[in-house]
Amino acid sequence: MSVQESFSRIESWLSKNAPNVLHQLNKPISSMDELDKAEAILGAKFPPSVREAYTYHDGESTESTGLFGGWRWLPLREIIQWNNEQKQYGQKHQFLDFKPSLMIPLLVSNNDFRYVETSGDDGLEETPVIEWNHEQPSRDVKYGSFENYLSTFAERLEFGEYITDANDQQNTCGLALRK
């Protein structure tokens, strides 16, 4: 399923079942130039499905508790901020071989994150979605691409695997896995 089809299904489900969560999604980027500038700042190329996703929404609001079951999708400015913080940390502690631009964090949950690696020089390579657990540092490949991540999420929404994170629809700010 394409990124466009996934977002159509996700937004449709949210509008019927969790409209307040739908409102937590940011507006799309203003132009492809915004993505190009972010890539230049990061020194990294976003995989094609990630680039396309930001044309639908620039991540989620800071008030969101996470559209993706407690995982909040980062806006471009927060990805750039994270990258800058990692560079400063690496310089402070003299980690000469650390290159945060190889990792593009897309989703955060507490101190854990799901990221993609930078695409090839031409920006046409899809890279997997990888989960980094802060408590027990590990690199766990979760999905083959961000497109696959979105597609799987849309299907899981429709199968009823997610519920709102609050009993009151007006106060919900994210989704949680059904227990």
Side-chain angles (χ1 to χ4, degrees):
M1 167 182 338
S2 71
V3 172
Q4 178 183 11
E5 291 168 321
S6 294
F7 271 115
S8 177
R9 290 169 67 179
I10 291 167
E11 291 169 357
S12 175
W13 187 92
L14 290 172
S15 68
K16 294 173 189 162
N17 299 288
N20 201 44
V21 176
L22 179 60
H23 297 298
Q24 298 296 323
L25 289 169
N26 293 332
K27 293 180 181 179
I29 57 167
S30 57
S31 71
M32 293 308 277
D33 287 343
E34 194 173 342
L35 271 172
D36 294 339
K37 288 177 187 173
E39 288 178 334
I41 291 167
L42 295 171
K45 292 278 188 186
F46 291 125
S49 60
V50 173
R51 285 182 65 89
E52 185 178 350
Y54 281 94
T55 67
Y56 292 96
H57 299 282
D58 184 7
E60 297 177 58
S61 75
T62 56
E63 291 81 32
S64 176
T65 58
L67 166 63
F68 299 101
W71 292 91
R72 189 174 75 83
W73 180 21
L74 296 175
L76 290 177
R77 64 178 163 63
E78 289 185 43
I79 293 172
I80 292 168
Q81 179 183 346
W82 179 88
N83 186 272
N84 289 338
E85 289 168 359
Q86 297 307 309
K87 282 181 184 176
Q88 290 172 359
Y89 183 82
Q91 290 170 351
K92 179 180 177 184
H93 297 285
Q94 299 178 342
F95 297 140
L96 301 176
D97 60 344
F98 180 69
K99 296 183 177 161
S101 62
L102 297 178
M103 299 165 57
I104 304 167
L106 296 178
L107 304 148
V108 295
S109 178
N110 300 318
N111 287 327
D112 300 333
F113 57 94
R114 290 183 175 168
Y115 67 93
V116 292
E117 294 173 334
T118 187
S119 187
D121 290 339
D122 59 7
L124 299 177
E125 176 189 4
E126 287 291 347
T127 61
V129 176
I130 302 165
E131 187 172 316
W132 177 260
N133 181 312
H134 198 74
E135 291 288 319
Q136 300 173 330
S138 62
R139 183 183 182 276
D140 186 13
V141 174
K142 291 292 190 184
Y143 300 89
S145 67
F146 196 57
E147 180 176 53
N148 180 251
Y149 184 86
L150 293 170
S151 173
T152 301
F153 180 70
E155 290 172 358
R156 292 178 76 187
L157 275 177
E158 294 169 345
F159 288 143
E161 293 183 32
Y162 286 90
I163 57 173
T164 57
D165 65 358
N167 292 334
D168 180 3
Q169 286 281 345
Q170 302 299 347
N171 292 325
T172 191
C173 292
L175 299 177
L177 277 169
R178 185 180 299 275
K179 292 182 181 179

